[in-house]
Amino acid sequence: MPTSPLLLEAYRLMVTARAMSDIYEANRHLCKYVHSSSRGHEAIQIATGLQLEPCDWVSPYYRDDSLLLSIGFTPYELMLQLLAKKGDPFSGGRSYYCHPSSRDLRKPSIIHQSSATGMQAIPTTGIAQGIKFAAETGAIALRKTKDGQLPVVVCSLGDGSVSEGEVSEALQFAVLQQLPIVYLVQDNQWSISATAPEIRTMNAFEYAAGFVGLERMQCDGTDLDQACTTMQRAIGYARMERKPVLVHAKVPLLGHHTSGVRREFYRSQEDLTKDGSQDPLPKLKTLVQAAGIHEEEIKRVETEALTKVQHDFDRAQNSEDPDIHSVGDHVFAPTPVKEEKGERSPKDGERVMMVDAALHAIEEIMEAHPEAILYGQDVGIRLGGVFREAATLAEKFGTNRVFNTAIQEAYIVGSTVGLSALGMKPVVEIQFADYIFPGLNQLVTEVAKSCYLSNGKFPVQMLLRVPTGAYGGGGPYHSGCIETTLLSIKGIKVVYPSNAADMKGLMKAAFLDPNPVVMLEHKGLYWSKVPGTDEARTIEPAKDYIIPLGKANTVLQADSKRIAAGESVCIITYGMGVYWAKAAAAELTGQVEILDLRSLFPLDEEAVFNTVKRHGKALVLTEEQQNNSFAEALAYRVSHTCFQWLDAPVEVMGAVSLPAVPINTGLEAAMLPTASKLAARLRKLLAV
């Protein structure tokens, strides 16, 4: 049984959490933003929080306010988030109650927490991945416990979320790599209005048996004595053995799913009465009394907790709202790369292919940054990437820095959140653009929102490499373009080099950027095997060469006399479009100017608009299917901004709007833009 002081502290925390739940319910007109509470879950959460150290990491889920209280947050701090106030220490009034993020060195650290059930499992496992790497290599410093032990990670989940495939990916990686993480699963038998028998064939404890090497524990999460004993074992196991463990805790749901989805909507009185018999508060009070603590002391704790909660609620109500002018703050962290630097074309340099420029860039990055790691499918020691874009790197830097993953796009993308929070710099790869979609959930929900919703505390420094584009018979699942999909995600950057020098310079900048950057790398340009793309091979830039993101490049200038006579047109393009544009321009001597965007977001709007204004005629060229594409959106922006300078409507040329790229090369050619198709369009535009 816990000691009397621990019991009394646990009782204070539980009474506080219960009083908070009561005051929220009594003031529904003031607590207008959706929220949940830990009512019924308090014992297991308090047992967990009281055993964590400031060096540890924890990812609560949206009804874990008792856990947050137990690691040292005050009711006032939690209420500032409840009421979306400026002083909300987690998100500055941007996110829901009990969606914390914290770098407070006096408490366990917390990365950004989202509402999507189960999604925290992958980023949190990424923290454990980084801790293991740091402990083995010393690449980054780790805080330790008072007695010198390494940190552990706790990931809190509801049992209903365990059915998410991404939880499985996290468990698989944790067991495979033997990571120091505790998965705490709180099972209240409900997933909103769906009961456990409706949605699962087994609970999390039974499910975990399939992950060989995952330690399992189970307890009554309403009994503080059992909960403390179990969590002490679990956290101790992860801390000492440096291996993963899952704890399944049975708890009742005594409150509402959320303030907006109330229990009376879907639960019977009989069901509520049954759950009420498992209330952890009277159970804990009985334990406190059995420990010989006087009734006067118990009453004092209760009175002080109630008084504190009421005082903090009144104070939070009267606190300042966020400044509406701050709404755009912290979308991105400032990047240190502001201008082009270094030698682009060294005198003694050799021409290299794009794939080699990328390989050399990563090699130079990893030599300079021991905290950099590279992982993805087949990038490891035997193959070095299906395009040989990571060849020899595992041999040079070791299999703990360059390694294969399972076919787990979600884990590849989402784990970078946890790694970045620790100070590591992950470079990860999705094998083909067509297969990025299983990773989009993590990219959208966790990666892109982390900086903004943590109020700038957790920008995600990651570089995601994605081979893209058609390259001659690649077929419907190895030829796709995804830039429009990516550009619809706010909070990430997207770059798209068209030659070796740009590849290397942009990759260095993308790596150093403290924000998530997706680098689209055209497979057809990797080796310049596609006819007409030899100029993608360039002199390899020096190690110090770097190009800031968001700077376009004029790769072909029109003749000044043609421009003055109104006989010129500009093509705004990127990637393979640069080479279609060059081939078409060869048929229209001096009349075509080509602007290579290089970076799709941030976008060099100044260069785009100035180029268009100079010519009065413009065509936006893309390899993507044209309808509803980035290219069409850009054409609108150009038309809107440059209207008075235009001599003709802005044209757009892209692929035929089909669901996929057909494998037959004749059909592929019929779908995609070509130099001859482009030249015909340009002649019509010039004739206007």
Side-chain angles (χ1 to χ4, degrees):
M1 179 181 291
T3 62
S4 294
L6 182 62
L7 277 174
L8 199 60
E9 173 63 6
Y11 188 66
R12 181 189 69 80
L13 290 166
M14 195 176 295
V15 171
T16 300
R18 191 61 59 91
M20 291 163 62
S21 176
D22 289 341
I23 205 168
Y24 302 163
E25 183 67 11
N27 291 274
R28 288 173 59 191
H29 61 295
L30 298 173
C31 305
K32 60 184 179 180
Y33 302 112
V34 66
H35 57 272
S36 300
S37 79
S38 57
R39 199 178 189 100
H41 293 227
E42 298 100 333
I44 188 64
Q45 292 181 21
I46 292 167
T48 302
L50 289 178
Q51 296 181 67
L52 291 174
E53 301 279 351
C55 66
D56 295 329
W57 291 75
V58 61
S59 286
Y61 85 119
Y62 55 79
R63 63 173 74 256
D64 277 3
D65 52 7
S66 284
L67 196 159
L68 291 171
L69 289 171
S70 67
I71 63 174
F73 288 100
T74 64
Y76 175 66
E77 289 173 309
L78 302 187
M79 291 167 179
L80 287 172
Q81 187 171 52
L82 172 83
L83 301 174
K85 296 294 187 175
K86 178 180 180 180
D88 159 24
F90 307 131
S91 71
R94 294 172 175 177
S95 200
Y96 307 95
Y97 180 66
C98 206
H99 285 59
S101 58
S102 176
R103 286 193 180 273
D104 187 337
L105 297 179
R106 299 163 297 177
K107 304 177 180 72
S109 298
I110 308 171
I111 57 174
H112 154 70
Q113 301 297 301
S114 74
S115 290
T117 54
M119 295 305 99
Q120 72 271 35
I122 285 177
T124 310
T125 304
I127 300 171
Q129 177 187 346
I131 288 173
K132 180 183 179 183
F133 177 81
E136 291 175 346
T137 66
I140 56 173
L142 291 173
R143 297 168 64 210
K144 297 182 180 180
T145 65
K146 291 178 182 178
D147 55 357
Q149 294 178 327
L150 290 166
V152 297
V153 182
V154 172
C155 179
S156 178
L157 301 154
D159 192 274
S161 70
V162 176
S163 58
E164 286 279 7
E166 295 183 27
V167 175
S168 171
E169 290 193 22
L171 295 176
Q172 161 77 11
F173 195 91
V175 175
L176 184 66
Q177 299 293 327
Q178 292 291 276
L179 304 180
I181 185 168
V182 178
Y183 298 98
L184 169 61
V185 181
Q186 301 173 56
D187 185 1
N188 62 27
Q189 297 286 300
W190 288 95
S191 291
I192 308 185
S193 68
T195 62
E198 290 179 82
I199 62 168
R200 70 187 193 203
T201 59
M202 64 192 81
N203 65 34
F205 181 79
E206 296 159 337
Y207 179 69
F211 295 88
V212 178
L214 178 62
E215 185 71 14
R216 297 181 302 148
M217 300 177 188
Q218 196 164 213
C219 71
D220 178 351
T222 69
D223 183 320
L224 188 80
D225 189 11
Q226 272 197 51
C228 282
T229 299
T230 303
M231 292 311 299
Q232 186 177 38
R233 283 178 54 218
I235 292 173
Y237 177 85
R239 199 179 303 281
M240 300 305 296
E241 299 295 327
R242 315 307 296 168
K243 295 178 180 179
V245 56
L246 181 140
V247 175
H248 175 249
K250 297 179 181 179
V251 292
L253 178 60
L254 301 184
H256 308 287
H257 169 66
T258 66
S259 56
V261 183
R262 302 180 63 77
R263 61 187 186 179
E264 59 266 24
F265 294 173
Y266 59 92
R267 297 182 67 179
S268 67
Q269 188 56 51
E270 180 184 7
D271 173 62
L272 292 169
T273 301
K274 179 183 175 183
D275 264 10
S277 67
Q278 296 300 311
D279 190 336
L281 184 56
K283 288 185 177 185
L284 179 54
K285 188 168 186 176
T286 299
L287 273 179
V288 171
Q289 292 167 334
I293 298 172
H294 295 300
E295 194 65 33
E296 293 82 2
E297 183 70 1
I298 296 172
K299 284 289 185 186
R300 181 188 65 79
V301 168
E302 292 173 346
T303 301
E304 288 180 356
L306 290 170
T307 302
K308 171 71 171 170
V309 167
Q310 184 64 60
H311 175 267
D312 282 6
F313 187 69
D314 293 340
R315 186 178 164 209
Q317 282 183 69
N318 295 319
S319 67
E320 190 178 355
D321 285 325
D323 179 355
I324 60 171
H325 298 102
S326 70
V327 68
D329 294 350
H330 303 303
V331 176
F332 294 110
T335 177
V337 181
K338 304 291 186 183
E339 58 187 33
E340 187 171 357
K341 292 181 179 179
E343 288 189 83
R344 182 178 175 94
S345 300
K347 290 182 180 178
D348 298 327
E350 296 182 1
R351 289 186 76 205
V352 295
M353 296 180 292
M354 279 184 68
V355 70
D356 288 331
L359 176 64
H360 298 162
I362 295 296
E363 182 177 356
E364 291 166 6
I365 284 167
M366 298 191 76
E367 286 174 346
H369 297 273
E371 71 277 24
I373 60 174
L374 170 66
Y375 58 98
Q377 296 163 27
D378 296 305
V379 302
I381 198 162
R382 281 175 292 278
L383 186 59
V386 294
F387 298 101
R388 304 294 286 160
E389 73 283 359
T392 74
L393 293 179
E395 290 87 345
K396 290 177 180 176
F397 298 105
T399 54
N400 63 341
R401 292 189 67 192
V402 181
F403 56 91
N404 293 326
T405 66
I407 302 172
Q408 294 183 330
E409 287 85 2
Y411 189 87
I412 291 167
V413 173
S415 56
T416 64
V417 177
L419 290 162
S420 176
L422 275 174
M424 294 184 63
K425 295 179 172 64
V427 179
V428 294
E429 183 177 313
I430 297 296
Q431 200 164 78
F432 289 89
D434 308 78
Y435 301 131
I436 198 173
F437 297 97
L440 279 189
N441 203 358
Q442 288 290 321
L443 191 63
V444 174
T445 305
E446 309 299 332
V447 175
K449 292 180 172 62
S450 181
C451 188
Y452 186 70
L453 292 182
S454 69
N455 215 19
K457 292 191 294 296
F458 288 101
V460 179
Q461 182 164 4
M462 62 92 85
L463 170 56
L464 175 58
R465 299 180 63 185
V466 185
T468 188
Y471 60 111
Y477 293 102
H478 298 82
S479 306
C481 294
I482 57 168
E483 52 264 35
T484 295
T485 299
L486 292 174
L487 291 165
S488 71
I489 304 168
K490 313 311 173 192
I492 65 171
K493 300 182 180 184
V494 181
V495 295
Y496 202 141
S498 67
N499 60 69
D502 287 350
M503 172 75 89
K504 191 169 185 180
L506 289 170
M507 188 165 282
K508 295 286 184 76
F511 174 81
L512 294 172
D513 199 303
N515 303 288
V517 182
V518 181
M519 175 164 276
L520 297 174
E521 305 174 15
H522 200 292
K523 302 185 295 291
L525 299 178
Y526 263 155
W527 298 288
S528 293
K529 287 185 177 179
V530 175
T533 63
D534 183 67
E535 289 183 7
R537 296 195 305 140
T538 68
I539 298 293
E540 181 171 3
K543 282 186 178 182
D544 63 349
Y545 182 62
I546 193 164
I547 303 171
L549 308 189
K551 294 294 182 183
N553 182 41
T554 301
V555 296
L556 180 68
Q557 292 185 331
D559 183 87
S560 58
K561 292 181 180 179
R562 291 283 205 170
I563 298 172
E567 298 172 348
S568 66
V569 61
C570 63
I571 301 174
I572 313 299
T573 190
Y574 54 94
M576 185 63 78
V578 170
Y579 299 94
W580 292 326
K582 284 183 175 182
E587 300 181 28
L588 300 161
T589 306
Q591 291 185 273
V592 177
E593 187 154 312
I594 303 170
L595 185 70
D596 181 359
L597 294 176
R598 302 197 295 195
S599 175
L600 307 186
F601 191 88
L603 179 69
D604 192 347
E605 291 188 344
E606 182 180 6
V608 171
F609 298 153
N610 286 342
T611 301
V612 172
K613 288 174 184 177
R614 217 168 39 248
H615 296 276
K617 298 184 180 72
L619 183 145
V620 182
L621 175 63
T622 178
E623 184 176 331
E624 275 198 300
Q625 292 90 327
Q626 182 174 324
N627 284 6
N628 303 314
S629 63
F630 159 69
E632 288 195 332
L634 178 56
Y636 162 76
R637 220 179 311 172
V638 170
S639 297
H640 180 76
T641 304
C642 304
F643 181 76
Q644 67 189 87
W645 287 273
L646 292 174
D647 299 323
V650 177
E651 295 281 338
V652 179
M653 185 173 183
V656 178
S657 295
L658 303 175
V661 181
I663 194 168
N664 177 274
T665 53
L667 294 175
E668 179 189 85
M671 177 189 181
L672 296 176
T674 62
S676 59
K677 294 176 190 176
L678 176 59
R681 287 283 294 275
L682 293 174
R683 287 190 180 95
K684 288 183 180 179
L685 185 55
L686 286 165
V688 174

